[in-house]
Amino acid sequence: MENVKNRSDHPLNSILRTDRIPHIWCPGCGIGTAFSACMMAIQTSGIDLDKTVMVSGIGCSGRGAGYTRLDSYHTTHGRAIPFASGMKLANPELNVVVFSGDGDLFAIGGNHFIHAARRNMDITVVCVNNLIYGMTGGQAAATTPCQAKTTTTPRGNPDPPFSLPLLAFAAGASYVARWTILHTRDLTKSIEEALNRRGFSFIEVLAPCPTGYGRRNKQKPLDTLKIYQERTVIKNGAHPMDAVMEFGSSITLGKFIDEERPTFSENYDRTCRPQSA
């Protein structure tokens, strides 16, 4: 009975659709921790939950939107950001959070990401980077490390991966951070901070994918966590160009960019609707 009581008292129960639990994520997957940090940040940020929506695309991380007791939208592959942008423009009072994976946001949806960042669209994007297309078959993604094995690169990935913080910064994001699921408190604080600021905010979360990535690269979830513990260096304020991610030697974490600049809506009103600006 005590266990039942504790379960019903879970601090996130009020914003989780517990009728949909258990979730689909594999044992050892990091998405649950990233999702929990995001939900905790939403709950503690002080934003109006009746005016908060979560949008996701397709993939393992994309299932997150279906587990929230907020208004949420599970969109098509790669289209979470344009969907979120349209929602924000239709109702500027909304707090719009995109929670999705690296394959969804930076390969199929890559073009949407750079233009939303360029325009400084007032949304928060949390990307769970597990280095691969997990749900759709373990194919190489735009974030897969060079020489890593996937179902589409069985001899090793010949391509270099994107640096997501550098890409976000170069495209124009006004808030950029990177954490791992091992740095839960920093991650939660970062998402909370992003929710309470204007403009395009981007947080990358490194997380293990034991099924799609780990099996083919002989890396168990605990091995990945040891890498996060032993090879990460926190450098808040570092230039995104210096935010290295070399799993064999060093991974740079921290808040890299936090600057104010006009949002898309402010620029649009100033130019096209000067009477309302």
Side-chain angles (χ1 to χ4, degrees), residues 221-272:
L222 187 58
D223 299 329
T224 309
L225 294 182
K226 285 182 177 177
I227 290 173
Y228 294 166
Q229 182 181 40
E230 298 171 358
R231 299 176 189 172
T232 54
V233 180
I234 297 175
K235 293 183 179 179
N236 290 314
H239 191 285
M241 188 175 290
D242 299 322
V244 299
M245 191 161 75
E246 299 291 341
F247 287 95
S249 54
S250 180
I251 303 168
T252 308
L253 306 179
K255 180 175 73 173
F256 307 125
I257 300 294
D258 186 0
E259 59 186 25
E260 285 286 330
R261 68 183 183 89
T263 65
F264 170 80
S265 295
E266 291 168 342
N267 281 332
Y268 183 86
D269 287 344
R270 186 177 300 117
T271 303
C272 303

Side-chain angles (χ1 to χ4, degrees), residues 2 24 40 105 136 143 155 194 205 215 227 232 237-238 258-259:
E2 186 62 28
I24 66 162
M40 187 65 74
L105 292 172
T136 56
T143 51
R155 295 188 177 184
V205 191
R215 283 191 304 179
I227 290 173
T232 54
D258 186 0
E259 59 186 25

Side-chain angles (χ1 to χ4, degrees), residues 174-252:
S174 52
Y175 183 98
V176 180
R178 173 197 280 157
W179 300 103
T180 80
I181 61 159
L182 199 63
H183 300 76
T184 312
R185 291 185 178 179
D186 296 299
L187 170 61
T188 305
K189 180 181 176 183
S190 192
I191 298 173
E192 184 178 330
E193 191 172 57
L195 289 169
N196 280 298
R197 67 182 306 284
R198 298 180 312 114
F200 190 90
S201 299
F202 170 67
I203 298 122
E204 177 186 18
V205 191
L206 299 177
C209 173
T211 305
Y213 185 88
R215 283 191 304 179
R216 292 182 177 81
N217 292 283
K218 303 186 186 308
Q219 188 177 98
K220 297 179 180 177
L222 187 58
D223 299 329
T224 309
L225 294 182
K226 285 182 177 177
I227 290 173
Y228 294 166
Q229 182 181 40
E230 298 171 358
R231 299 176 189 172
T232 54
V233 180
I234 297 175
K235 293 183 179 179
N236 290 314
H239 191 285
M241 188 175 290
D242 299 322
V244 299
M245 191 161 75
E246 299 291 341
F247 287 95
S249 54
S250 180
I251 303 168
T252 308

Side-chain angles (χ1 to χ4, degrees), residues 7-31:
R7 195 181 308 154
S8 66
D9 290 338
H10 190 281
L12 292 177
N13 270 1
S14 62
I15 55 172
L16 285 179
R17 296 185 63 175
T18 53
D19 56 310
R20 291 201 167 187
I21 303 295
H23 54 69
I24 66 162
W25 299 314
C26 303
C29 171
I31 297 172

Side-chain angles (χ1 to χ4, degrees), residues 49-189:
L49 299 186
D50 290 333
K51 296 180 179 178
T52 300
V53 299
M54 178 175 283
V55 183
S56 65
I58 297 299
C60 297
S61 301
R63 295 299 290 267
Y67 297 134
T68 66
R69 199 181 293 280
L70 303 169
D71 286 335
S72 58
Y73 301 86
H74 191 191
T75 67
T76 51
H77 213 170
R79 308 301 176 235
I81 287 181
F83 197 95
S85 298
M87 191 176 296
K88 180 67 180 181
L89 295 180
N91 186 352
E93 292 187 359
L94 291 178
N95 306 298
V96 183
V97 181
V98 173
F99 185 91
S100 214
D102 51 304
D104 185 69
L105 292 172
F106 285 95
I108 293 176
N111 208 34
H112 299 305
F113 180 91
I114 60 175
H115 289 292
R118 174 176 66 87
R119 292 168 170 147
N120 202 26
M121 196 65 65
D122 189 12
I123 61 177
T124 301
V125 178
V126 180
C127 174
V128 181
N129 182 3
N130 59 10
L131 312 178
I132 202 166
Y133 280 97
M135 177 182 285
T136 56
Q139 303 94 333
T143 51
T144 302
C146 192
Q147 299 305 315
K149 294 181 179 178
T150 71
T151 55
T152 51
T153 59
R155 295 188 177 184
N157 178 28
D159 300 321
F162 276 141
S163 166
L164 301 190
L166 180 57
L167 180 61
F169 166 70
S174 52
Y175 183 98
V176 180
R178 173 197 280 157
W179 300 103
T180 80
I181 61 159
L182 199 63
H183 300 76
T184 312
R185 291 185 178 179
D186 296 299
L187 170 61
T188 305
K189 180 181 176 183

